[in-house]
Amino acid sequence: IEIEGVVKEVFPGGHFLVTTEAGTKVQAHLAGKLRRYRIRVVLGDRVTVAVSPYDLSKGRIVFRHR
């Protein structure tokens, strides 16, 4: 499941707190492609988060919107 949201908090080690459009908070880490191509994700960025249907509170940032 992919959800759009905004980065609200940045933690060390490539972890982020993303608030979705529905108002839920998701703990997310960077996907491998974003790390590989050194795409920077900073506070306030709009991102797409892929979450598991089993645990909607954790996910992976797969896309950074311009």
Side-chain angles (χ1 to χ4, degrees):
I1 302 171
E2 291 191 348
I3 305 170
E4 287 191 20
V6 177
V7 175
K8 290 295 182 183
E9 203 168 336
V10 180
F11 299 111
H15 288 78
F16 302 89
L17 185 68
V18 178
T19 304
T20 63
E21 295 171 343
T24 59
K25 293 182 179 178
V26 178
Q27 288 180 341
H29 64 273
L30 283 178
K33 290 270 186 178
L34 293 175
R35 256 190 232 144
R36 180 179 177 190
Y37 293 109
R38 295 187 176 98
I39 295 174
R40 300 273 173 151
V41 176
V42 294
L43 193 67
D45 279 350
R46 274 186 47 235
V47 293
T48 300
V49 180
V51 293
S52 167
Y54 301 107
D55 188 5
L56 298 175
S57 67
K58 294 186 175 144
R60 178 176 56 238
I61 297 175
V62 293
F63 189 77
R64 176 182 170 260
H65 298 276
R66 293 180 184 245

